[in-house]
Amino acid sequence: MTLEFYGPPSAILASGTKKGVEIGGSKSIVSIDHFHNFYNEGNIYTEMSWASFYEEEDLSDQIDTFTTTEYDSIREDPEALVDAIVKTIYQIINNQKIFYGIVDFEVDAFLDANTSVIPGLKLDYDVINNFLEAHKRSRERDLFPKIIIDNKGIKKINVVFQGTKKNNIHITGSKLEDLINKLRLAKGFAVGIVCTSRNAANLYIISDNIVFSKDELPEFYIDEENIKVIEYGIKKRLLFPISWFRIDIGIRSLETLELWEKIKDNPELNKALGHYERYINALVYKKFKPVAESQKIGINLEEDFYNMTPKERKKALKDMEKAIEFLSREYKD
C-alpha cells in the first residue's frame, strides 16, 4: 500500500551524479493521520553535504571535497529540544493526529562496504557491496526519487513499506482510535534500506525489535527473504538504493534521544506529555466505549473514566480490551 510522506527530510531524497553525491543524515519527529500518512512534525537535526569526486578517472569514486549544503540541529541544545518536542505534541493534538515516532535517515552513498551507518543493523560485506555498486549505477543514470508538490504547494513523496513484518511499522486500522490503541504501548525500532522504484521511496525493513505490550519480549531478527528481494530488484535494475533508515516507534521513542536524561524531568515537557496521554486515552476510550456501555447500563462512564487516576484508567482500558477480545472470539465461534 502506497502512503504519503509530507515534508520529507532531505536525506530520504539524497541524490548523486557522476561528479559527486549527497552525504549526511536527518532525525525527525513524525506523526500519522487516520490514513497512516506520515507528517514531518519537527526537525531534530539535518546535516547534509555535497561530496565531490576526484576528476581523475582512476579516483572517480573517491571523495575529493565536502561542501555543507544544509545544517539545522537542536540535538545538543536541551532547551531548544524541549521547546520543539512540546510544540510538536500540541501540534499533533490540535491537528488530530498521532505521535508516530522518531525517524532517522542516514546517507553514506554506500561508499564504505565495511559497515552500515545505522545503529542496530549489521549486514554481510557482500550485501553492502551490492548496494554500493547499485548506488553507483543510480548516480550514473540519475535514478533518484522526485519530490511531489500538490495543488496546495505542499511537498510530499510516496512511500511503501516492504518486509515480512511490515505491519509492525505500517499499523493497520481504519480509524485514529484503532491506530493509537496499537501504538500507545509500542516500543522498539526497525532498520533497513530506502530504495527508489516507480516514483516511490520503498522502505525495506531488514530487522526490527518492536513490541506492542509491556509483557511482550523483543525479538531481533534479520529478514533474509527481504534482503533477497532487494538484491533481486537491484540485479534486475528495478531497485536503486538511496539511504539507510531507522524508525523508533511510539511516544517512548523520545527516550532514545541523546539528551533524554537531561530533559525528561522538564515541567513543560511533562505537562505536554500529560495532555497527550489524556488525548490518546480519550481515543482509546472511544474505541471501547460501546463494549463498556453494554456491561454497565445507566452509569455515566465517561465522567467516571476521567475521574480515575492514571493507574485506574490504564486498568480500565485493559479490562475493556479484554472484554472486546472475548466478545470478538465469541462472535467468531
Side-chain angles (χ1 to χ4, degrees):
M1 179 179 176
T2 301
L3 306 170
E4 294 178 330
F5 194 154
Y6 291 86
S10 303
I12 198 175
L13 296 164
S15 62
T17 67
K18 292 181 180 180
K19 295 184 177 181
V21 290
E22 286 185 292
I23 290 179
S26 64
K27 182 188 288 283
S28 306
I29 298 174
V30 173
S31 70
I32 55 173
D33 61 18
H34 66 286
F35 292 116
H36 208 297
N37 292 319
F38 291 89
Y39 296 81
N40 185 355
E41 297 285 352
N43 182 57
I44 295 173
Y45 78 84
T46 297
E47 299 172 359
M48 297 297 295
S49 297
W50 178 258
S52 299
F53 295 131
Y54 284 99
E55 294 184 2
E56 291 83 351
E57 188 173 339
D58 57 339
L59 296 174
S60 61
D61 283 339
Q62 302 297 313
I63 294 173
D64 181 16
T65 60
F66 288 95
T67 305
T68 300
T69 55
E70 187 176 356
Y71 182 86
D72 179 19
S73 176
I74 57 171
R75 60 177 170 176
E76 296 177 352
D77 184 338
E79 187 175 335
L81 186 58
V82 167
D83 288 345
I85 295 171
V86 169
K87 179 184 176 182
T88 295
I89 289 173
Y90 289 131
Q91 195 168 273
I92 289 170
I93 295 172
N94 292 336
N95 292 323
Q96 295 185 301
K97 291 185 284 191
I98 295 173
F99 188 109
Y100 178 76
I102 295 177
V103 180
D104 287 85
F105 294 102
E106 296 291 339
V107 187
D108 65 351
F110 304 93
L111 295 173
D112 185 355
N114 294 311
T115 184
S116 76
V117 296
I118 286 291
L121 178 58
K122 295 181 180 180
L123 295 174
D124 292 339
Y125 172 88
D126 290 341
V127 172
I128 297 179
N129 194 56
N130 287 338
F131 295 165
L132 187 155
E133 291 300 321
H135 195 277
K136 182 179 178 181
R137 290 196 299 270
S138 304
R139 300 196 299 264
E140 292 172 348
R141 297 171 59 190
D142 191 24
L143 298 169
F144 294 92
K146 300 296 187 291
I147 201 160
I148 301 167
I149 301 178
D150 65 14
N151 53 16
K152 295 181 180 179
I154 298 173
K155 294 180 180 180
K156 63 182 181 179
I157 60 170
N158 293 325
V159 297
V160 181
F161 285 106
Q162 309 283 2
T164 56
K165 293 188 178 181
K166 63 183 178 182
N167 285 345
N168 281 356
I169 292 295
H170 181 185
I171 311 300
T172 55
S174 58
K175 299 178 181 178
L176 208 60
E177 49 264 37
D178 295 329
L179 300 178
I180 195 56
N181 184 51
K182 187 84 173 177
L183 272 171
R184 63 193 174 93
L185 295 177
K187 183 180 180 181
F189 63 89
V191 289
I193 183 174
V194 182
C195 294
T196 181
S197 175
R198 297 181 181 177
N199 299 319
N202 289 261
L203 277 70
Y204 283 85
I205 303 161
I206 293 176
S207 186
D208 82 78
N209 64 351
I210 293 171
V211 295
F212 295 97
S213 70
K214 289 183 178 179
D215 300 328
E216 192 177 354
L217 296 175
E219 183 179 335
F220 215 74
Y221 68 96
I222 295 293
D223 193 339
E224 300 289 352
E225 191 62 34
N226 214 20
I227 292 175
K228 291 178 182 177
V229 171
I230 299 169
E231 291 187 302
Y232 179 81
I234 286 174
K235 183 178 179 181
K236 294 296 182 180
R237 309 292 175 93
L238 299 173
L239 294 177
F240 306 94
I242 305 170
S243 67
W244 306 100
F245 74 85
R246 170 170 165 152
I247 299 175
D248 288 87
I249 199 169
I251 193 71
R252 298 177 70 183
S253 63
L254 291 172
E255 298 170 12
T256 67
L257 295 173
E258 294 175 17
L259 294 180
W260 178 249
E261 290 301 316
K262 289 186 177 181
I263 69 172
K264 67 179 183 180
D265 295 323
N266 181 279
E268 289 302 314
L269 175 60
N270 281 287
K271 181 180 177 182
L273 290 172
H275 278 290
Y276 185 73
E277 184 178 3
R278 289 192 289 276
Y279 168 69
I280 64 173
N281 281 343
L283 288 172
V284 178
Y285 176 81
K286 182 180 178 181
K287 176 179 176 62
F288 294 112
K289 183 179 178 182
V291 177
E293 286 180 334
S294 70
Q295 297 177 23
K296 295 184 179 180
I297 304 298
I299 297 175
N300 190 336
L301 292 171
E302 189 166 1
E303 183 179 338
D304 287 348
F305 183 78
Y306 290 112
N307 285 331
M308 292 177 180
T309 65
K311 187 175 181 179
E312 289 171 335
R313 278 202 298 268
K314 287 180 181 178
K315 185 179 185 305
L317 290 169
K318 193 170 184 178
D319 290 343
M320 283 191 277
E321 281 185 86
K322 288 180 180 178
I324 200 168
E325 286 173 3
F326 173 77
L327 290 175
S328 297
R329 287 196 301 271
E330 289 292 303
Y331 176 78
K332 289 178 181 178
D333 294 341

